[in-house]
Structure formats: C-alpha cells, structure tokens
Amino acid sequence: VQASAIGNHEFDLGTGVFADAVEAAMFPYISANLDFSGDSATSGLFTDTTATSGLELASDFAGRIVPSAVIEEGGEQIGIVGATTQILDAISSIGGIDVLSGGADDMTALAAILQPVIDDLTNQGVNKIILVSHLQQLQLETALAPLLEGVDIIVAGGFVGDYPIQTAGADGRPTLIVNTDNEYTYLGRLAVDFDAQGVLITETLEERLDVNGAYAATMENVAEAYGITVEE
C-alpha cells in the first residue's frame, strides 16, 4: 500500500482511534477536502503538501495525513490526490474535523476544492494523476470525473461497476474509473499505458484484459498478483 483515501469507516470509533491508525501506517492517508485544524487528535498529523515547495513523495509521509503526494514508478512521477464523502459528518464520528463544502453531495463544489490540488501537481510537471476517493456511491465519481482537468484514473469507493469505466475529464483527456466490492472481497488490478505527454492510451486496454479486473481475494489470487507464494 502506497497511499490510502480517507472514508467514513475510518472514523467509526472516533478521531482518536483514527489518529492511532494513521501513526501506525506505513503510508500516508490522503484527503484534500477535510480540514483537520479543529480536531485535537488529528491536527498534528496533517501536512499541507500544497503549501510547501517541491514535490512530496508519499514514502516520506508514512503515518501522516496529506491532501496529495507523489509516487515514483519506473522513473515516472504519479500524483495522488484524495477525496472524502461530503456527507461524512452525518454518517461518522469526526470530532472537530470540518468537511469542506460538506453537508450534501455536490460534485461541482467538490471539484472546485480538488482542482487547485491537482493543478499544484501538474504545474510542477506531474502529468499522470490518480484520484483516490470514497464518495459512497460510484455514480458520484462518475459525475465528478467530467468536472476535473488532469485526472487520469479515479480509484473509487462505493459500489461495483464496469472495470474500468471509461469517461473523460473537463479537458477532454481520457479518465478511467475503477472500483470493486467492499470488505476486501476483491482485489482490483489496472494496467495502463501513457503517451509521452502523460495521456492515457485507451486503445491498449484491450491488450490488458488478462490483467485488468476485479479478482476474488482468495489466497491464491492475491499471491499470484503480488508474485509471492501463498505461504508468504
């Protein structure tokens, strides 16, 4: 795990338990539409990566909460931005955390919050962006995608749909949305190609059908996906 979106169940036992989970994590928790400054348990764990100079690697923010970060794969930089359901306050115990433009599902308002965070990455030369989100319903991510520029892949949290869903952003670039069922019952896998400008090459998805999809999370399937033995 290199990064994790923040959803509603992280707060089922309150912000203190969530803070303990964050501190113990070997990766950052990511959300760009939550304000932690008013919550004593989590405020000290938050770093605003959009307010500092340079690109922040996710590996350097293990045990922290950030709005965005960068991972490096094969010499390429991939930006990660997080989004959390706007109705978080009504369905979980979030203490002093504030949901920006919260209270009701409003994808236009959410897009306005996320776009500057995305732009912070693209302005620094990151041309591949993944949004990790937990909006409760897959149709919300489907509605959000066309409102954003620069997002290539959305890893959604909600209900199962086609794998991947193919759509486009506000800039006309292809956007893929992936999602699996909950409770760790499936392992989602997505392999994609990008051109030199960081634009998804959707034509090669047909060549990836032997990899892409939702796999039943059996010991055998998970071991094969990670290239390890069942015993490992």
Side-chain angles (χ1 to χ4, degrees), residues 24-223:
M26 299 176 68
F27 52 84
Y29 281 85
I30 299 188
S31 180
N33 65 314
L34 297 181
D35 180 358
F36 295 89
S37 61
D39 183 70
S40 58
T42 56
S43 60
L45 298 174
F46 179 78
T47 299
D48 186 358
T49 49
T50 68
T52 56
S53 60
L55 293 170
E56 291 82 5
L57 293 177
S59 57
D60 292 336
F61 285 86
R64 303 289 297 175
I65 303 169
V66 294
S68 63
V70 173
I71 62 175
E72 292 184 337
E73 293 290 341
E76 297 290 325
Q77 293 178 328
I78 302 170
I80 311 291
V81 177
T84 304
T85 174
Q86 293 166 291
I87 61 170
L88 184 66
D89 192 26
I91 61 176
S92 203
S93 304
I94 62 172
I97 296 171
D98 182 38
V99 183
L100 304 179
S101 294
D105 294 320
D106 184 339
M107 295 304 99
T108 299
L110 182 58
I113 294 169
L114 297 178
Q115 193 61 59
V117 181
I118 297 164
D119 293 344
D120 178 64
L121 293 169
T122 58
N123 290 339
Q124 296 180 82
V126 180
N127 61 12
K128 289 170 281 294
I129 304 289
I130 298 174
L131 175 68
V132 290
S133 63
H134 190 97
L135 302 185
Q136 295 290 106
Q137 301 177 60
L138 184 58
Q139 59 262 40
L140 294 177
E141 273 96 354
T142 305
L144 176 64
L147 304 178
L148 297 173
E149 296 184 3
V151 173
D152 301 290
I153 298 167
I154 299 177
V155 180
F159 298 100
V160 178
D162 293 337
Y163 201 108
I165 296 171
Q166 297 190 48
T167 183
D171 49 7
R173 288 170 46 140
T175 303
L176 303 180
I177 306 173
V178 293
N179 176 246
T180 70
D181 207 348
N182 60 6
E183 300 296 340
Y184 303 102
T185 48
Y186 289 90
L187 171 67
R189 301 184 71 188
L190 180 67
V192 296
D193 295 291
F194 292 91
D195 67 15
Q197 285 71 48
V199 178
L200 276 167
I201 304 173
T202 56
E203 291 80 7
T204 62
L205 288 174
E206 290 293 321
E207 303 171 12
R208 305 290 194 175
L209 295 179
D210 61 330
V211 174
N212 293 343
Y215 293 71
T218 63
M219 296 289 283
E220 292 76 14
N221 282 347
V222 174

